[in-house]
Amino acid sequence: MRATTIQQFGDPDGMVMTDLPEPVPAAGQVLIQTEAVGVGGVDAVIRRGTLGSGWPVGMIPGSEVAGTVVGVGPGSDSGLVGRRVWAFTGTDGAYAEQAVARVGDVVALPDGLSSIDAVTLGSAAPVAHFALAQAHTAQGDSVLIRGAAGSIGIAAVELAHRLGAGSIAVTTSSEDRGRRLRALGATVVLDRAGRGSDAAPASFDVVIDIVGGAAVPDFIDRLAPNGRMVLVGAVGGFPPSDFGMRLMRSFQQSRSIGTFSLDSIPPVERDRVRAGQFDAAAGGDLHAVVHDVMPLDQAAEAHRRMDAGEVFGRIVLVP
């Protein structure tokens, strides 16, 4: 089996194609013949080594695949064999011709939804859904989505629009991306620092932050009274250690900030939402925005594009 492995953490050049034995599903697992692999921001963060040393040299990166079940482990339902599925593989194991996943992390794909679209939405759209829910986003709210050009941000724009948000501001890096985000439901386009439009609200009821990094306190300052910020990513690094002081200094405005990980959602609820989103995408009511489809052996190049900030939507790898 061919797989991309990380032989050195840091630059994308540390990722190389490797011949490995075919994986064998354990009890409660399935074996999937991979048709598409989603390339996510967390993959790049792990590859850079910025999340610590918990991942071994030689690991297969990636967390989501779509394809066909070709085998099951002991005790698993043999009726799964032959089904087209999306699967979460954990924090590794996806950049390969075959992958294993727990039965509980597998969702059947509806007719009419491609494997490429499935891995574009499979992780990102549920994160966007539950982050908006955690922020108690309601009809009429003003929403700011920071880092909206990635797959989570794009899904958040569409879902906020479907919730009836009063205004949806986005931060992004170019006019072209701004136009594309407007077509998906954004009403105000700002630069990465949150500037650039006289039409932007002075403050926001909800801020969904996918970037993190040093500028988090500046976006806390953009919260309206009783405003809610939810951090769903740290592709720009961790916030400064004293970022909570911005909340304390505006104590009378009752602002709040929280973090969100999909790991905190019960699997049954997570899969119910994901399956509904797959159905919506198959019916054209939710859009999978694919930046490019690249061969598996070009995973390093896919990461270079992400590091350079070139990606709008998601890059998908195919074996």
Side-chain angles (χ1 to χ4, degrees):
M1 177 191 76
R2 296 190 317 144
T4 295
T5 60
I6 299 177
Q7 298 300 322
Q8 182 174 344
F9 290 92
D11 294 336
D13 290 340
M15 303 170 66
V16 299
M17 288 298 295
T18 308
D19 288 321
L20 297 173
E22 294 183 359
V24 177
Q29 292 183 327
V30 297
L31 176 66
I32 298 165
Q33 189 69 38
T34 304
E35 296 171 3
V37 179
V39 180
V42 68
D43 304 346
V45 173
I46 290 171
R47 183 262 303 160
R48 293 176 196 134
T50 53
L51 285 184
S53 57
W55 289 271
V57 170
M59 69 172 283
I60 302 170
S63 64
E64 63 180 312
V65 302
T68 301
V69 176
V70 294
V72 298
S76 299
D77 180 7
S78 61
L80 292 169
V81 174
R83 291 191 185 178
R84 291 182 61 248
V85 299
W86 173 93
F88 174 69
T89 64
T91 54
D92 62 356
Y95 290 20
E97 292 176 327
Q98 292 184 321
V100 293
R102 296 188 310 124
V103 172
D105 291 327
V106 169
V107 175
L109 296 180
D111 294 338
L113 185 69
S114 71
S115 292
I116 289 171
D117 286 352
V119 296
T120 301
L121 293 169
S123 289
V127 168
H129 168 91
F130 287 109
L132 288 165
Q134 181 161 313
H136 302 288
T137 310
Q139 185 175 3
D141 278 348
S142 56
V143 177
L144 171 62
I145 298 165
R146 182 177 176 225
S151 53
I152 295 174
I154 289 168
V157 169
E158 279 208 286
L159 294 175
H161 178 69
R162 289 170 62 177
L163 285 170
S167 65
I168 304 170
V170 295
T171 69
T172 190
S173 60
S174 71
E175 291 183 6
D176 177 65
R177 291 183 173 196
R179 284 192 293 271
R180 297 177 71 180
L181 288 164
R182 284 184 184 277
L184 294 165
T187 57
V188 176
V189 177
L190 306 172
D191 66 16
R192 286 178 171 174
R195 301 184 297 262
S197 174
D198 293 336
S203 58
F204 297 90
D205 299 307
V206 172
V207 175
I208 304 296
D209 190 337
I210 303 154
V211 181
V216 166
D218 296 333
F219 287 89
I220 293 175
D221 288 343
R222 302 293 292 272
L223 288 171
N226 299 301
R228 294 86 63 195
M229 172 186 277
V230 176
L231 288 163
V232 299
V235 294
F238 293 117
S241 59
D242 62 347
F243 74 94
M245 290 304 299
R246 294 294 181 95
L247 289 175
M248 299 305 294
R249 289 170 184 153
S250 60
F251 197 90
Q252 287 77 14
Q253 298 196 47
S254 301
R255 295 164 168 168
S256 61
I257 183 170
T259 59
F260 175 74
S261 168
L262 208 53
D263 292 341
S264 65
I265 302 299
V268 171
E269 176 66 5
R270 190 173 59 210
D271 290 344
R272 181 191 67 79
V273 168
R274 180 176 286 122
Q277 291 174 332
F278 284 158
D279 287 338
D285 294 327
L286 189 64
H287 298 91
V289 178
V290 180
H291 180 85
D292 201 358
V293 178
M294 304 174 67
L296 181 63
D297 60 9
Q298 292 185 23
E301 175 60 23
H303 276 238
R304 288 188 195 97
R305 294 185 186 182
M306 283 202 299
D307 286 356
E310 298 175 1
V311 178
F312 184 87
R314 174 154 289 192
I315 291 179
V316 176
L317 301 175
V318 294

